[in-house]
Amino acid sequence: TGEKQLILLLCSIVSTSLERTIFIVDEPELSLNAKWQRKLISTITDCIRGKPVQFIFATHSLHILAQHDDQAVQLIPLTSANE
């Protein structure tokens, strides 16, 4: 299933890369082995170089985060007014 999701993502990138596009991808690492997780962002970056496309990834993968920690943002839950 990881390969299928990766192919669908790459096909979506290719088909929309001429228009301004933002992809929001939730946990792209699911069903991908560690090697593919490490290559995921660089492969996508190569596909969109020079194109008006941006990505927002939600991930728990240390393999992805370790290579791109300079671009990672940790989301922290807001505290409720009652706390």
Side-chain angles (χ1 to χ4, degrees), residues 37-41 62-70:
Q37 288 181 36
R38 286 190 296 272
K39 289 185 164 193
L40 178 65
I41 303 298
L62 295 178
H63 297 289
I64 292 174
L65 292 172
Q67 292 182 323
H68 304 283
D69 63 341
D70 60 326

Side-chain angles (χ1 to χ4, degrees), residues 6-17:
L6 187 57
I7 289 171
L8 288 172
L9 179 61
L10 293 174
C11 287
S12 295
I13 293 168
V14 170
S15 67
T16 60
S17 62

Side-chain angles (χ1 to χ4, degrees), residues 66-77:
Q67 292 182 323
H68 304 283
D69 63 341
D70 60 326
Q71 299 173 354
V73 176
Q74 181 180 4
L75 299 179
I76 300 170

Side-chain angles (χ1 to χ4, degrees), residues 76-83:
I76 300 170
L78 295 174
T79 58
S80 69
N82 298 331
E83 292 183 25

Side-chain angles (χ1 to χ4, degrees), residues 50-66:
K51 307 262 193 289
V53 177
Q54 293 182 340
F55 278 84
I56 298 171
F57 291 102
T59 184
H60 298 277
S61 170
L62 295 178
H63 297 289
I64 292 174
L65 292 172

